[in-house]
Amino acid sequence: VGVDGTVSVVWQGQTQALFSDVDNPQLIQVASSTDHGQTWSAASTVDASYNMCPNGGCAGGQFGPQNLHLSITAGQKAGDLAVAVGARRGEGFTRIAVSISHDNGKTWSSRVEIGRVAGQLDHSQHSPQVFVTPGGMIVVAYYDTGPDGSENLYVTTSSDGGATYSAPQRISNESSNNAVFTSGFPTSDETAGLVATNSGIDMAWVDSRRGDTSSDKTDIEFASQALTSAGVAATTIAVPATGAVAQRG
């Protein structure tokens, strides 16, 4: 919800039937309402560079960005929006990109890819949550998963309106095992919660440090982090040794 009360939503659409033998570009789209949801603007396209069925793959059961995650937030000026997208774009790894609008989603900036840790090109970044502080800093929290399945929560920030982003800062003080999230039933959806002020950020996330694939145990962890004009402070506030706000399994 924007400072002027405008409500905006983001969703994933597609241009072809799901099981088709043609390329199936995904449309990341946004619509807004200025009358509490009674009527909505025409949908605008944030990004059309994702493809659900590259090279006709869906006909054979091969999917593109099947784990596409979206997050939207309003800025501190009327009309300002930020959308974060986490999905694969054909290279085999999930990446995160952020786009900005200053006119309630009528037009969008080019996507800016964020979140890669230096020297870790074989890692995937996914499940972003985006927030804008009262001072206008863009904060994005997300998961980074390595080729061995180790997973951690990271944060990156932008103080220039989304043109550039800080080096990723790791938040979780122990790694999770991604395999725990995808084993058993019901499976866990790795989603983070994020709230930011001018001086700090509060985060909650799904964590499996105390679990394994036989127990399917996951927790909800919480941490607070100082925020400066340069971004997230370098020293992570450790998660309590007791380990969890809530538990599953």
Side-chain angles (χ1 to χ4, degrees):
V1 179
V3 294
D4 60 352
T6 299
V7 179
S8 299
V9 295
V10 62
W11 70 90
Q12 168 195 357
Q14 59 192 48
T15 59
Q16 304 290 336
L18 179 58
F19 291 102
S20 61
D21 58 359
V22 297
D23 284 0
N24 196 349
Q26 302 298 282
L27 303 179
I28 311 304
Q29 295 186 301
V30 165
S32 297
S33 173
T34 58
D35 55 11
H36 307 288
Q38 296 184 55
T39 61
W40 292 87
S41 67
S44 66
T45 297
V46 181
D47 196 335
S49 64
Y50 299 94
N51 195 344
M52 177 66 85
C53 300
N55 303 315
C58 283
Q62 300 298 315
F63 294 89
Q66 61 265 50
N67 292 321
L68 191 146
H69 291 87
L70 303 172
S71 177
I72 187 171
T73 192
Q76 297 304 312
K77 296 180 181 179
D80 283 0
L81 296 171
V83 167
V85 183
R88 292 206 305 262
R89 296 180 70 240
E91 62 180 338
F93 299 102
T94 305
R95 304 299 185 200
I96 295 171
V98 178
S99 297
I100 304 297
S101 174
H102 298 295
D103 53 13
N104 276 328
K106 293 183 179 67
T107 60
W108 292 90
S109 68
S110 299
R111 65 193 308 276
V112 176
E113 190 171 289
I114 67 170
R116 291 196 200 191
V117 178
Q120 297 182 355
L121 297 181
D122 56 351
H123 286 223
S124 287
Q125 297 81 44
H126 59 94
S127 306
Q129 290 293 320
V130 60
F131 199 91
V132 179
T133 70
M137 178 177 287
I138 301 170
V139 183
V140 184
Y142 60 95
Y143 294 89
D144 177 279
T145 304
D148 61 351
S150 61
E151 189 161 278
N152 287 282
L153 187 77
Y154 279 80
V155 167
T156 182
T157 63
S158 174
S159 57
D160 57 10
T164 60
Y165 287 81
S166 65
Q169 173 69 39
R170 178 173 160 175
I171 300 299
S172 51
N173 60 352
E174 290 185 34
S175 296
S176 290
N177 178 2
N178 179 262
V180 176
F181 297 125
T182 56
S183 68
F185 183 84
T187 59
S188 297
D189 185 7
E190 298 138 274
T191 301
L194 170 67
V195 176
T197 67
N198 287 337
S199 60
I201 53 178
D202 294 327
M203 294 153 289
W205 69 96
V206 182
D207 192 288
S208 68
R209 70 184 67 188
R210 301 196 304 149
D212 54 42
T213 54
S214 60
S215 69
D216 192 31
K217 182 179 185 63
T218 57
D219 300 320
I220 302 298
E221 302 287 353
F222 179 88
S224 294
Q225 190 81 4
L227 192 63
T228 69
S229 59
V232 180
T235 302
T236 299
I237 299 175
V239 177
T242 51
V245 177
Q247 303 176 9
R248 181 179 75 90

